[in-house]
Amino acid sequence: MEAMTVSGNLETTSTKYLRKLRFALAIASAAAFMIAAGSASAASLQVETSGSDAPGCGPIGTPCKTISYAVNLAAAGDTVNVGSGTFDESPNGVQINKALTLRGTNDGSNQTVISGGLSTTATSRGTIGVTAAGDVTVSNFNVEDFSSLGAPNVNSANKLGLYSKPPLAGGPFKYTFRHLILDGSGGLPGGGIYLNFVSTGSSTEVNFTGGSICGQAGNGILVENASKPVTVKNSGICQGTTGNSAYFNLLGTNSGGENLDDAVQSVIGNTVLGSSLTFSANPDFGSATAPGFNAPVVRDNSIVLPSGGSAITLYTGKNAATYRGAINDPVVSGNVITTSTPGATAIRLLGLVRFADIYDNVSQGVDTFARTERVLTNSPGVYLDPTGTRLFKNKLYGASPTIAVNNQSPRFIVAYQNWWGCNEGPNYTDNGNPSPPHRAGILPQCAGINQALAGGDVLFDPWLTNLDGPTGPSGATGSTGPQGPPGSSGNDGATGATGNQGPTGSTGQQGPTGKQGKVGPTGPAGSDGKGPRPAVRRLPPKRPVRIRPHRRTFKIAKVTCRGGNCRIKKTAVRVTVRNKIYRGFAKSTKKRFRKGQTRRIKVTVPQRVFRKMPHGRKVGSITVAIRAKSSNGTLNKRAVSVGIGR
């Protein structure tokens, strides 16, 4: 009976295994068939200036002559390859209404040029237009002589190099534009790029990388109502001759929707010639229930201001009365902003701009590095003010000695560890309002702080000196001891008699000069004082950390000892979820560790805070304040933050 039982179990196990194997083979065969069918369905069409637009064109031996003909001929998923030369695509340019890849030539002198022909009879809004309900990639084209929608009227002509209008439903889709050189210097007034999302219901991500937009009359790039991520990266952007901005991202002309946690708007690594990179949320002419921005990023750009104006502007209209219509958690970092003319502003915040992090930027010759301003609402006496503004580790060269940081709101600004152009710290003008301690008078070599309204303090101590690091706090001066009573004067002693002078002895002979000795070795250089302080670094990831019920702890920072013996003195954790602040937990060793050794710090989101977190890619942040000290007396205080989602 036992043998039969074992045999029966083996037979049952074998049967189950064979069934699973047959099922897996069937799935693999079906997948292979689908891949083969997909590969077979995708086609490649060729376009050459020597080709001919006729049914059946597209193979390499019989290419089409115009890009628009080949695009209309292509099926969804196809690739259209275009040879070098100039392609006249008037009157309507190249309009893409299906998922495909359009690839030009960008190889030295072999360039592909799309000309709109300066058409004024176009029925489309761009020399390249993309409205497809699917993924589209356009790369390696020079675009010039933009076409214009309708009559050539200066006030109504719509002349665009690139126009994008994603569908309202479906997706998510992705539009990718790489290595597009748009020259708008010919023809009527117009803009370079217009990304029109129409409604917050759209679900399309847009990326523009490695290109340039110059010569146009209007804005270089205009983005409206982006409901998915838009990234402009490693490109050259010029302000138009009459346009307000090199880059203008406008959100809130349509009503509805929420703040878009997964729709990060990013301008990264670009060279900008013009007056401004602008983010405008909930403008006055928009809907009173329109949404705003969440965590827009302006990073690592080089911005040259040929005249006055603002390099980076973040502002809201009067309707942005709650976090829904605000600009929340913007990051402005690593930018280099220069000008040779007076009256310019590097970073301008107006209205309900909440918790802006502005760090590691460099301004050269810019009078005002940061300016905060109020916006009056429809209610009398009710204003929207920038709040939670943080400036740190920025370097100000040649800034105004009175208004380098100009706070025109009653909300305070945290401005620690900045270089103010001198070792003495900033000049401070409080206009009669309470303020931090500051010196009387103005040092012209030092950047200045202006506090216009009561409550609008700028907290600037400690600051950087000689760009080496923040100055540590001074120790308290000890009290002076009491002076003792003067002692009594003694009597003068009698002066002794002067003795007789003896005869001068004879001069001895001079001995021979000895050999010169060898130069001894140079001794070791002495210490210059205290050794280096411990290094505090944030650990990856840079993207928000996803928190799960049983994975609420993760590593956020590391401390490296660079001299003597080190110790992590204190860690304090703050968790922010939808503008509410909770206390978190940190775990790290408090034992001493030696030079060259590293200790990591873990943070934990408490269970009660996790239960309050809404679902989303980024719904809050976690910050740990770290104090690390070395036995040589050096101290490092730093706060490290990471976004969190659920």
Side-chain angles (χ1 to χ4, degrees):
M1 293 295 292
E2 292 180 359
M4 291 178 64
T5 302
V6 172
S7 176
N9 289 339
L10 289 174
E11 183 178 6
T12 302
T13 303
S14 300
T15 303
K16 291 181 179 179
Y17 174 79
L18 289 173
R19 287 176 180 174
K20 291 182 179 180
L21 179 60
R22 292 191 188 102
F23 183 73
L25 290 173
I27 292 177
S29 299
F33 175 80
M34 293 176 66
I35 293 172
S39 300
S41 64
S44 179
L45 288 78
Q46 189 68 33
V47 181
E48 300 286 352
T49 55
S50 59
S52 176
D53 289 340
C57 71
I60 293 180
T62 56
C64 301
K65 184 176 180 61
T66 62
I67 303 171
S68 54
Y69 190 91
V71 167
N72 292 334
L73 192 65
D78 286 354
T79 297
V80 177
N81 295 307
V82 186
S84 61
T86 299
F87 294 83
D88 186 350
E89 299 294 333
S90 60
N92 289 318
V94 178
Q95 304 303 311
I96 303 173
N97 59 7
K98 68 195 76 172
L100 56 77
T101 297
L102 178 61
R103 184 185 300 120
T105 301
N106 185 7
D107 182 14
S109 59
N110 296 322
Q111 303 283 325
T112 304
V113 179
I114 298 178
S115 172
L118 295 177
S119 168
T120 58
T121 60
T123 58
S124 58
R125 300 185 69 178
T127 301
I128 297 178
V130 181
T131 57
D135 294 348
V136 173
T137 298
V138 181
S139 61
N140 301 335
F141 289 99
N142 295 353
V143 185
E144 60 185 33
D145 294 339
F146 305 159
S147 59
S148 183
L149 178 67
N153 185 298
V154 172
N155 297 320
S156 63
N158 190 345
K159 184 174 73 70
L160 298 168
L162 172 62
Y163 174 70
S164 168
K165 183 179 180 181
L168 295 180
F173 306 128
K174 189 171 184 178
Y175 292 172
T176 302
F177 304 104
R178 290 196 296 263
H179 307 299
L180 299 185
I181 311 300
L182 288 84
D183 179 5
S185 59
L188 299 169
I193 297 176
Y194 180 23
L195 307 180
N196 181 7
F197 287 79
V198 182
S199 167
T200 55
S202 178
S203 181
T204 303
E205 178 179 347
V206 178
N207 291 284
F208 185 93
T209 61
S212 72
I213 311 99
C214 279
Q216 74 287 334
N219 297 316
I221 300 177
L222 174 61
V223 184
E224 285 193 345
N225 296 306
S227 55
K228 284 294 178 182
V230 173
T231 301
V232 178
K233 189 173 183 179
N234 299 336
S235 298
I237 317 173
C238 296
Q239 179 199 10
T241 55
T242 59
N244 295 324
S245 300
Y247 173 91
F248 193 99
N249 197 323
L250 176 65
L251 186 62
T253 57
N254 294 322
S255 63
E258 280 287 347
N259 282 322
L260 307 166
D261 293 326
D262 60 347
V264 177
Q265 309 294 294
S266 303
V267 184
I268 301 172
N270 303 285
T271 298
V272 182
L273 303 176
S275 66
S276 188
L277 301 175
T278 302
F279 287 86
S280 173
N282 208 319
D284 295 345
F285 57 83
S287 168
T289 60
F293 290 105
N294 266 3
V297 176
V298 181
R299 188 176 75 235
D300 299 335
N301 301 284
S302 176
I303 307 174
V304 179
L305 294 174
S307 59
S310 301
I312 300 170
T313 302
L314 306 171
Y315 73 94
T316 68
K318 61 187 178 184
N319 294 322
T322 66
Y323 79 92
R324 290 187 63 255
I327 298 180
N328 297 297
D329 302 306
V331 175
V332 180
S333 69
N335 301 285
V336 178
I337 305 165
T338 60
T339 187
S340 58
T341 59
T345 299
I347 302 166
R348 189 180 181 196
L349 310 179
L350 300 91
L352 196 58
V353 182
R354 305 171 68 249
F355 303 107
D357 276 340
I358 301 170
Y359 61 92
D360 288 337
N361 301 283
V362 176
S363 71
Q364 178 68 54
V366 184
D367 278 347
T368 301
F369 173 71
R371 178 183 174 94
T372 58
E373 301 177 48
R374 321 185 74 186
V375 169
L376 179 64
T377 67
N378 293 323
S379 301
V382 178
Y383 292 88
L384 302 178
D385 294 291
T387 182
T389 305
R390 294 168 291 206
L391 314 174
F392 53 97
K393 293 186 179 179
N394 301 288
K395 299 176 179 62
L396 283 59
Y397 298 94
S400 166
T402 56
I403 55 170
V405 173
N406 192 358
N407 191 3
Q408 295 289 318
S409 80
R411 303 295 184 92
F412 71 88
I413 295 175
V414 176
Y416 296 147
Q417 297 181 350
N418 295 287
W419 165 251
W420 299 92
C422 63
N423 289 334
E424 293 80 5
N427 305 309
Y428 199 111
T429 304
D430 60 13
N431 295 316
N433 300 304
S435 65
H438 60 283
R439 61 175 169 269
I442 292 176
L443 298 179
Q445 71 273 21
C446 302
I449 294 172
N450 179 54
Q451 176 194 349
L453 300 174
D457 299 323
V458 179
L459 310 178
F460 57 82
D461 190 3
W463 61 84
L464 298 182
T465 59
N466 293 323
L467 303 184
D468 289 335
T471 302
S474 300
T477 303
S479 58
T480 303
Q483 185 174 354
S488 58
S489 300
N491 297 325
D492 293 336
T495 302
T498 302
N500 296 326
Q501 183 174 355
T504 302
S506 60
T507 302
Q509 295 180 353
Q510 182 175 356
T513 303
K515 295 181 179 180
Q516 183 174 355
K518 295 181 179 180
V519 177
T522 303
S527 172
D528 56 357
K530 295 180 178 180
R533 59 182 179 168
V536 179
R537 298 286 186 272
R538 188 182 76 171
L539 294 173
K542 295 184 179 178
R543 296 182 179 179
V545 176
R546 288 297 180 100
I547 306 300
R548 293 177 173 83
H550 302 295
R551 294 182 61 184
R552 295 178 286 107
T553 300
F554 59 93
K555 297 175 183 178
I556 192 172
K558 66 178 181 179
V559 179
T560 303
C561 186
R562 299 193 296 176
N565 294 321
C566 300
R567 177 182 290 177
I568 300 173
K569 300 287 289 182
K570 184 179 181 182
T571 54
V573 180
R574 182 187 68 188
V575 183
T576 304
V577 177
R578 291 297 191 188
N579 306 319
K580 293 185 178 180
I581 297 175
Y582 306 91
R583 182 179 178 184
F585 305 102
K587 182 178 180 181
S588 64
T589 179
K590 292 193 176 182
K591 295 182 180 180
R592 294 184 183 273
F593 53 102
R594 299 189 301 275
K595 178 180 178 182
Q597 292 184 333
T598 297
R599 295 293 183 268
R600 285 172 169 77
I601 297 174
K602 295 181 179 179
V603 292
T604 299
V605 177
Q607 182 68 26
R608 63 182 182 84
V609 179
F610 173 79
R611 294 189 183 121
K612 297 178 181 179
M613 289 175 58
H615 290 276
R617 179 176 176 271
K618 180 181 178 184
V619 298
S621 63
I622 185 166
T623 302
V624 56
I626 303 168
R627 287 170 52 93
K629 187 173 182 181
S630 173
S631 58
N632 57 27
T634 57
L635 178 69
N636 194 352
K637 297 183 291 183
R638 184 178 176 187
V640 175
S641 297
V642 172
I644 57 175
R646 177 179 179 183

